[in-house]
Amino acid sequence: MRLWWQDPFRMFQTNLREIDAGLDVERVLNYLEEFGANTWLLSVGGILSNYPTALDFQTANPHLAERPSGDLVGDAVKAAAARGIRVMGRMDFSKIDHRRAEQHPEWCFVDAAGDPQVYNGLTSVCPSGDYYQVKLFEVLDEVLDRYPIDGFFCNWMSFNEVDYSRQYRGVCQCLGCVRRYSEYAPGERLPEDKNAPGYETWQRFSREVLADLTARIREHLASRRPEAPLVLGDRADIVFHEANNAIGRPLWHHRTSEHVSAAKTFRPDVPVLTNSVGFVDMPYRLAGEEPHHFAQYLLQAMARGAVPSTYIMGTPDDNPYACLGIAGELTRFHRDHQDVYRELVPAATTLLVRPDQFKPGSVTEFQGLYLSLLQRHVPFDVLPEERLAEVDLSRYRVVVLPDLGPLTPETVATIDSYVGGGGAVVATGNSGLVADEVQLACLPVRRRLASHDTEEATRSFHLRSGDQFLPVIGAFDLVEPADAAEIGLLAMSRAPYGPPEKCHGHLELDHPGRLSAPYGRGRATLLPWTVGRAYRDVGLTGHRDAFVDEVVRAGGRQVETELPEQVEIVVGRSAVGTVMHLLNRSGDADQRFAKPLPIGEGWLTLPDGVTTVEALCAGQRLRVEDGRVLVPTIGLFEVLVAHP
């Protein structure tokens, strides 16, 4: 049976304050319909219940007295059903009030000093305790017994290492955590914070506790109301991603696209909901997001096949953020072209692996390679490193490994099998290198001889690329090539770099910056230096091209086009055929998104066998000539639908 949420939908979230319990349900529904949304994410229970709860460990919102019925959830569900709008319940079990924290300290977060975590009078709860493990299910049952809710989202289901003020509070030391961790890692002490020994083990432990809880919630809902999905992590019915801004956080312009791609590549047929925040940051929730910044949340989500969702504090009357105008335009575009977004899944043939969170030094490398592929019009998907062994890689012609360092045995076996079966790998930095050993049999390397991995060790270090010299930024590994290896990008020795009179003496060495060789039916290439980091930090196109040329040489498909590098090309496949989103990135600016400049028409080469193309934004059917189309001027974006 096909369930409602397996088809495209559009969500609007009103994150309600306790004073909003008397809201005008019909007025909000009028706004949602005009906006283009057909699903309402409504605050239902947890910290406050917006219905008259009978559970003594929940607090009913006192402002419910402002409603004749005394029941906001009941009123909303009834009125929405009359209009064909679905209501999903936002639940927040992360905190409890003082009275219940005093009654049940065993439910609560405890820091290394033995103190609870209290914020604005509420006490943080630990997922190891019975409030999450037992009482959560009683709340869900009470809601399901009373209302035909169409799904649930659980907010901030985490171990609360960081509070609302972004203050680090450490690792929970409650007795439930102590007991569970001793069973998970016998003989190891529960770490107190992120700097303590064993913290990486604790991170894996915490992820598994939350994954188990997610699975239990999902199973419980499926047994009670199969048509009501759980929106949560990447193992839920619907994967949740919050697209937001934050004061003090460096802007990564592609964050939404990256996260959606990572989820859709892992499980292509599972919906991803991108809940886009309409305000700047929680402390500044009265300030609406810049419209063109907000537009990128929805555009990047839609291009990668996610469900667009807009999130505001309070009601539309209370917070008429300036970004809601463009948000409505994009939401209605999704509504009007729902057939195009039905079953939209990734269709790129190049895969970029995202380093796991234990390898923060690899993030810059990943981002540099991400930008390189995007600007050279090589469509690609993103996959988290920890999911490599769970995905069929045979649908990709090239897999890129960005300076991943040591790999798990499962990842090693997966990559070697993929290359041996006919795939191609392009690895950078120290991917698969541990000390002097090489983990991946497919790499054209006997052993690592030495590593230049400090700023001083790489200063003045260059690689020869034809008539150019590329500076090495970050790290360079000296490796012994395998017998069959083709080598290139030979290193130049370091030499004095000041004063000018002494700036000479570089000698060509036999240390390769590129090695490539066949393995089984496939091929592996290693660039044993951080070429992505170099491009991210310095911006020389020589770095970008040295990497992308290897991807293309290995079989990565590059879209031939006259369109400039400021056009991002995202390729997908939906129920109607091949779908190409062309995103205008000319507005990407320092720490913001400006209004993009119009990009003039240009030719674009199509996949083989395409005979007709529709440009949805322009409202035109494009003429196909010799496998190419002339793309009309691109404003914010364009969507091409190609048919055989």
Side-chain angles (χ1 to χ4, degrees):
M1 179 179 68
R2 190 169 183 84
L3 300 170
W4 72 266
W5 44 270
Q6 293 171 328
D7 286 326
F9 64 97
R10 294 153 300 283
M11 178 176 284
F12 195 96
Q13 178 188 357
T14 52
N15 200 346
L16 300 181
R17 305 158 298 177
E18 59 184 356
I19 60 173
D20 295 320
L23 66 83
D24 185 334
V25 168
E26 297 293 347
R27 187 173 176 84
V28 172
L29 290 170
N30 287 341
Y31 183 88
L32 264 62
E33 287 187 320
E34 182 180 348
F35 192 84
N38 60 358
T39 306
W40 182 9
L41 182 57
L42 175 69
S43 304
V44 169
I47 293 174
L48 281 177
S49 71
N50 280 313
Y51 66 95
T53 181
L55 299 171
D56 62 3
F57 53 86
Q58 267 204 126
T59 299
N61 189 336
H63 292 270
L64 288 174
E66 300 171 16
R67 308 193 67 83
S69 69
D71 186 353
L72 170 58
V73 175
D75 293 345
V77 169
K78 181 179 179 180
R83 301 181 184 226
I85 293 177
R86 298 185 182 277
V87 176
M88 297 185 73
R90 178 190 181 275
M91 318 296 288
D92 194 329
F93 299 102
S94 66
K95 294 170 180 61
I96 53 177
D97 64 12
H98 176 73
R99 178 172 68 83
R100 292 172 179 85
E102 290 291 297
Q103 290 175 332
H104 295 283
E106 74 277 11
W107 292 352
C108 301
F109 174 100
V110 178
D111 67 17
D115 297 324
Q117 182 185 126
V118 181
Y119 198 94
N120 284 346
L122 296 174
T123 302
S124 292
V125 176
C126 177
S128 292
D130 280 353
Y131 186 73
Y132 265 114
Q133 298 292 330
V134 177
K135 298 301 181 181
L136 175 153
F137 295 91
E138 295 181 23
V139 177
L140 294 179
D141 280 338
E142 181 179 61
V143 173
L144 288 168
D145 287 343
R146 298 187 185 188
Y147 315 105
I149 291 288
D150 292 299
F152 291 90
F153 163 62
C154 295
N155 184 61
W156 207 331
M157 199 169 88
S158 72
F159 278 82
N160 289 302
E161 283 184 89
V162 180
D163 66 20
Y164 272 107
S165 293
R166 300 197 189 100
Q167 296 298 312
Y168 184 71
R169 308 300 292 268
V171 172
C172 181
Q173 306 291 309
C174 75
L175 294 181
C177 280
V178 171
R179 174 181 57 79
R180 285 173 175 268
Y181 191 75
S182 66
E183 296 170 354
Y184 182 85
E188 292 191 26
R189 181 179 178 181
L190 180 66
E192 295 183 355
D193 56 42
K194 60 186 176 183
N195 298 314
Y199 180 71
E200 291 185 4
T201 302
W202 178 83
Q203 283 191 307
R204 288 191 290 271
F205 158 78
S206 64
R207 285 206 305 265
E208 291 186 21
V209 170
L210 294 175
D212 175 72
L213 183 56
T214 297
R216 289 175 53 219
I217 297 172
R218 186 183 180 194
E219 291 169 5
H220 188 79
L221 293 177
S223 67
R224 288 293 315 271
R225 185 168 165 80
E227 61 271 35
L230 174 64
V231 181
L232 206 56
D234 65 1
R235 297 286 188 180
D237 299 302
I238 299 176
V239 179
F240 178 83
H241 169 66
E242 183 171 290
N244 58 30
N245 204 348
I247 305 301
R249 183 178 71 199
L251 176 63
W252 169 234
H253 293 79
H254 309 277
R255 182 172 181 264
T256 301
S257 187
E258 173 201 322
H259 280 266
V260 173
S261 181
K264 292 292 286 185
T265 302
F266 173 44
R267 295 196 298 168
D269 298 326
V270 174
V272 177
L273 188 144
T274 301
N275 205 26
S276 304
V277 180
F279 48 90
V280 172
D281 198 354
M282 186 61 77
Y284 299 98
R285 60 197 176 277
L286 301 182
E289 185 55 86
E290 183 69 24
H292 289 289
H293 191 139
F294 189 89
Q296 285 298 322
Y297 297 154
L298 296 184
L299 279 175
Q300 293 180 33
M302 289 160 53
R304 294 282 183 175
V307 174
S309 176
T310 296
Y311 157 26
I312 65 169
M313 288 290 293
T315 71
D317 286 335
D318 296 321
N319 292 304
Y321 302 130
C323 64
L324 295 180
I326 198 167
E329 291 177 23
L330 293 171
T331 302
R332 291 188 291 273
F333 180 90
H334 187 275
R335 176 198 65 192
D336 295 343
H337 300 285
Q338 179 163 308
D339 57 330
V340 173
Y341 292 100
R342 180 172 286 109
E343 301 174 11
L344 181 59
V345 296
T349 58
T350 296
L351 177 67
L352 176 61
V353 176
R354 185 177 71 187
D356 70 28
Q357 59 182 312
F358 302 140
K359 301 174 180 178
S362 299
V363 172
T364 303
E365 180 73 9
F366 166 80
Q367 291 181 349
L369 302 186
Y370 190 111
L371 292 171
S372 298
L373 294 169
L374 183 152
Q375 293 170 4
R376 285 279 304 271
H377 299 136
V378 177
F380 63 96
D381 297 333
V382 173
L383 180 69
E385 178 184 347
E386 60 268 27
R387 301 300 186 198
L388 266 171
E390 302 177 61
V391 171
D392 179 11
L393 298 181
S394 65
R395 70 179 190 256
Y396 296 103
R397 299 178 67 177
V398 183
V399 172
V400 178
L401 309 178
D403 191 36
L404 297 181
L407 305 173
T408 65
E410 295 79 11
T411 297
V412 169
T414 298
I415 294 297
D416 281 337
S417 175
Y418 164 73
V419 179
V425 157
V426 176
T428 72
N430 62 4
S431 296
L433 305 180
V434 181
D436 62 342
E437 298 182 3
V438 181
Q439 290 180 291
L440 291 168
C442 65
L443 290 183
V445 175
R446 288 184 180 276
R447 60 193 176 110
R448 178 162 59 174
L449 303 173
S451 181
H452 296 309
D453 56 7
T454 67
E455 183 177 352
E456 189 58 38
T458 56
R459 198 191 302 275
S460 190
F461 205 82
H462 297 75
L463 301 176
R464 181 189 288 276
S465 177
D467 295 332
Q468 298 185 59
F469 294 98
L470 299 177
V472 173
I473 311 296
F476 181 90
D477 286 317
L478 281 66
V479 296
E480 180 182 345
D483 290 340
E486 302 171 5
I487 64 174
L489 296 179
L490 295 182
M492 305 295 294
S493 69
R494 292 180 296 160
Y497 46 86
E501 291 82 356
K502 292 294 185 180
C503 292
H504 60 88
H506 294 280
L507 302 174
E508 187 165 276
L509 307 174
D510 59 359
H511 302 317
R514 170 189 177 274
L515 306 95
S516 185
Y519 178 80
R521 299 198 305 275
R523 190 173 190 87
T525 299
L526 174 65
L527 304 176
W529 54 296
T530 49
V531 60
R533 176 177 172 182
Y535 186 55
R536 183 78 166 111
D537 288 352
V538 181
L540 294 179
T541 55
H543 289 125
R544 177 191 72 185
D545 295 343
F547 160 67
V548 177
D549 286 350
E550 292 301 327
V551 173
V552 174
R553 188 177 293 118
R557 179 176 179 267
Q558 182 178 26
V559 177
E560 297 180 11
T561 181
E562 293 177 329
L563 296 173
E565 65 183 42
Q566 288 80 9
V567 176
E568 177 181 1
I569 301 176
V570 181
V571 179
R573 184 179 61 257
S574 81
V576 300
T578 298
V579 180
M580 302 178 72
H581 281 77
L582 310 180
L583 307 185
N584 185 343
R585 308 311 301 264
S586 66
D588 291 15
D590 185 28
Q591 202 55 31
R592 69 190 186 101
F593 292 93
K595 181 178 181 179
L597 299 173
I599 293 178
E601 61 184 19
W603 287 98
L604 180 144
T605 302
L606 299 164
D608 293 339
V610 172
T611 59
T612 61
V613 175
E614 297 174 73
L616 301 184
C617 293
Q620 300 176 17
R621 176 161 292 199
L622 306 182
R623 188 174 62 195
V624 178
E625 295 183 7
D626 299 324
R628 303 192 306 171
V629 292
L630 185 64
V631 179
T633 297
I634 301 173
L636 184 59
F637 72 112
E638 183 57 272
V639 181
L640 305 182
V641 179
H643 304 282

